[in-house]
Amino acid sequence: MSIQRIHSSEVQVFAGSSRIPAVQSLNISTQKPVNDVRRLGALNVTERVLGANPSSTLDISILLTTGATGIDPFYTHQAFHAGFLNTGKQDFTIKDFAGATTVSGASLTSYSLNASVGELVNGATSYEGSPASFNSEGAISFDNQSNDNFKGFFRPSHVQVTTTTDGDEGIDSTTLNIQNLSLNVDLPRQTKIRLGSRTPLFRYPELPAAGSLSFSVLKTRVTGVNVTSMVCESGVIKIDLKDDDDNSVIDFLVSGCCLESIEESTALDDNTTVGFNYYFPIIQ
């Protein structure tokens, strides 16, 4: 079959042997490290030698669903309780009508959750693994295309944020109107390469690791929050994603959270909003 282009409907993403549903975008980039070599008496680089740790980065953006066929990376992390600081690896395969591209031995390097009024709740993950390889024998066809079955998608109106601290810096969004929410975890990793090998055997997360949570609400019942404490109060942040029947489907629970800043914004012919920004350590 002659291929003139690859449309998004002709692309499927797999984690292991399970297809990932509701993928909105993906990007694969491969870095080729090289060492420049100059010879004595030469003004220019005469040779370029392949260095260690060639790697590929895979970025995946998805919609979070209340239930879908296939495998969802967000649900996977919650179900396995593996934690962000694990050194586990995953193999990803991107199949289309031209062939299959595989990124093996991939480790999580970033994780984010975003919600905003007027949009569906979406998430994004980034992985770093061995250099991508292509195989034309893994191509799919029209016969491999299938429809996902979704019970529904999360909406900001079904997202609840609760923070509790030892002092009075907590906030509960149960009675507040959330405008947007962002949860971010960055996990840069250090590669460990053995003598005689070019590919790293492990990618250890750099410590200390931390995440951030920010959300804004319409100013209605928001009460004053004391931020004058010399010692930052610590507590728990819980983000609860619920379905249309108000049943909790998935939640994010982090401890040791600390309120870093509060912002109140007002603009002409617009609503006053209050934004909260939290920091939390990654301990597992």
Side-chain angles (χ1 to χ4, degrees), residues 10-256:
E10 302 165 353
V11 181
Q12 297 181 359
V13 185
F14 293 82
S17 59
S18 300
R19 184 171 55 84
I20 301 175
V23 174
Q24 299 301 289
S25 65
L26 67 90
N27 181 73
I28 303 175
S29 60
T30 300
Q31 301 295 325
K32 182 181 178 181
V34 294
N35 298 319
D36 294 335
V37 179
R38 289 179 57 191
R39 295 178 180 177
L40 186 63
L43 296 176
N44 62 302
V45 174
T46 56
E47 293 182 75
R48 308 193 79 189
V49 181
L50 181 64
N53 188 29
S55 62
S56 289
T57 300
L58 172 64
D59 302 316
I60 303 176
S61 174
I62 64 174
L63 292 178
L64 270 66
T65 67
T66 58
T69 56
I71 180 175
D72 186 328
F74 280 79
Y75 291 125
T76 300
H77 283 292
Q78 297 296 313
F80 290 167
H81 298 286
F84 289 114
L85 301 183
N86 72 88
T87 56
K89 302 176 182 179
Q90 288 183 294
D91 295 336
F92 291 91
T93 304
I94 295 85
K95 297 183 179 181
D96 53 37
F97 283 14
T101 301
T102 301
V103 178
S104 59
S107 300
L108 183 69
T109 57
S110 71
Y111 185 96
S112 65
L113 173 73
N114 297 281
S116 180
V117 171
E119 298 181 4
L120 298 174
V121 179
N122 62 85
T125 52
S126 295
Y127 298 85
E128 182 180 354
S130 300
S133 59
F134 177 78
N135 183 1
S136 59
E137 295 180 358
I140 59 175
S141 63
F142 288 110
D143 296 334
N144 300 115
Q145 291 182 314
S146 60
N147 294 323
D148 290 317
N149 296 318
F150 302 113
K151 293 182 180 179
F153 295 92
F154 295 109
R155 293 179 291 177
S157 59
H158 294 155
V159 179
Q160 178 181 343
V161 180
T162 305
T163 68
T164 58
T165 70
D166 297 329
D168 53 4
E169 293 182 358
I171 193 72
D172 189 340
S173 68
T174 304
T175 58
L176 304 177
N177 298 314
I178 297 178
Q179 299 302 289
N180 56 68
L181 175 149
S182 179
L183 173 71
N184 294 281
V185 175
D186 290 323
L187 296 167
R189 294 180 179 262
Q190 296 179 345
T191 57
K192 299 299 180 181
I193 305 175
R194 291 182 178 178
L195 186 64
S197 174
R198 180 176 287 116
T199 304
L201 297 178
F202 298 99
R203 290 182 171 87
Y204 292 106
E206 295 182 3
L207 301 177
S212 63
L213 167 67
S214 61
F215 67 94
S216 67
V217 299
L218 293 180
K219 186 177 182 180
T220 54
R221 304 180 185 178
V222 181
T223 58
V225 178
N226 181 18
V227 294
T228 60
S229 302
M230 294 298 293
V231 178
C232 188
E233 305 288 354
S234 62
V236 175
I237 297 176
K238 181 180 181 181
I239 303 174
D240 202 359
L241 305 182
K242 300 180 179 181
D243 59 18
D244 291 337
D245 298 324
D246 204 36
N247 297 317
S248 178
V249 177
I250 183 173
D251 60 71
F252 298 81
L253 187 66
V254 294
S255 59

